[in-house]
Amino acid sequence: MYAISLGDDGAELRPLEPWRAEEFLTHMDRGREFIGQHVALPDVVTDLESSRSFLQAYAEKAAADAGRIYGIWTDGKLVGGVLFRTMDVEHGNAEAGCWLEPSAVGKGLVTRAARVIIDWAIEERGIHRVEWLVAAANEASIAVARRLGMTKDGVLRESYPYRGKRHDMEVWSVLAPEWRAGRQE
């Protein structure tokens, strides 16, 4: 098992694998209402079976080189995560995303974790474009996109039906040359 340090505060990034289904469900239960404000993850992970199934789907995506999921741990407790919801290595495109429970907000964890996976995708897997799709009302996630040096490409008006309402989605992205230039600054 490996972990990547996210800084001096002891936070770590680790693969989120099916054998962690119970821990993942417990984490989701702690943050269900908060996480569910903008993303459907808590609606998908509702019991141990759905938790295991969700993580297994990402294990299969990883095996097919089509996606990845990682957890963020602080003090030995799973508090959030980052992922590549989609990854098309052949065409050089990936869509990154995140979630976080309330206890971990405001510590820069998602930004630090996203930097690690984006750097890996660009430098190791040859991804050229990393996208960040975010509900227009999700100001915290938009702030992460900005901190990552992403550019707002546009708004997909009312494209996301969620909990009985249609929401605007913003598309943010960073291209490999921009990412590399930003790292050198």
Side-chain angles (χ1 to χ4, degrees), residues 152-169:
K152 182 178 174 181
D153 293 333
V155 177
L156 302 172
R157 297 178 310 133
E158 296 186 8
S159 65
Y160 182 51
Y162 182 57
R163 295 184 175 176
K165 184 179 175 198
R166 297 196 69 85
H167 300 266
D168 291 350
M169 294 296 288

Side-chain angles (χ1 to χ4, degrees), residues 27-40:
H27 152 65
M28 200 53 53
D29 286 342
R30 281 193 309 267
R32 188 168 303 283
E33 186 177 322
F34 180 78
I35 296 166
Q37 291 177 68
H38 301 290
V39 297

Side-chain angles (χ1 to χ4, degrees), residues 118-166:
I118 292 170
D119 200 58
W120 171 82
I122 289 172
E123 300 304 340
E124 299 293 326
R125 300 303 301 125
I127 295 296
H128 177 75
R129 174 185 169 88
V130 176
E131 293 184 343
W132 190 268
L133 274 66
V134 55
N138 190 344
E139 294 175 16
S141 189
I142 291 168
V144 170
R146 285 189 178 106
R147 284 192 297 274
L148 293 171
M150 293 185 165
T151 299
K152 182 178 174 181
D153 293 333
V155 177
L156 302 172
R157 297 178 310 133
E158 296 186 8
S159 65
Y160 182 51
Y162 182 57
R163 295 184 175 176
K165 184 179 175 198
R166 297 196 69 85

Side-chain angles (χ1 to χ4, degrees), residues 9-42:
D9 59 359
E12 294 180 328
L13 185 69
R14 304 179 197 163
L16 198 45
E17 298 172 326
W19 63 272
R20 293 193 177 273
E22 190 171 336
E23 182 179 17
F24 184 51
L25 177 61
T26 299
H27 152 65
M28 200 53 53
D29 286 342
R30 281 193 309 267
R32 188 168 303 283
E33 186 177 322
F34 180 78
I35 296 166
Q37 291 177 68
H38 301 290
V39 297
L41 182 56

Side-chain angles (χ1 to χ4, degrees), residues 1-4 12-16 20 69-73 76:
M1 188 21 230
Y2 73 88
I4 297 170
E12 294 180 328
L13 185 69
R14 304 179 197 163
L16 198 45
R20 293 193 177 273
I69 190 167
Y70 303 91
I72 300 169
W73 276 262

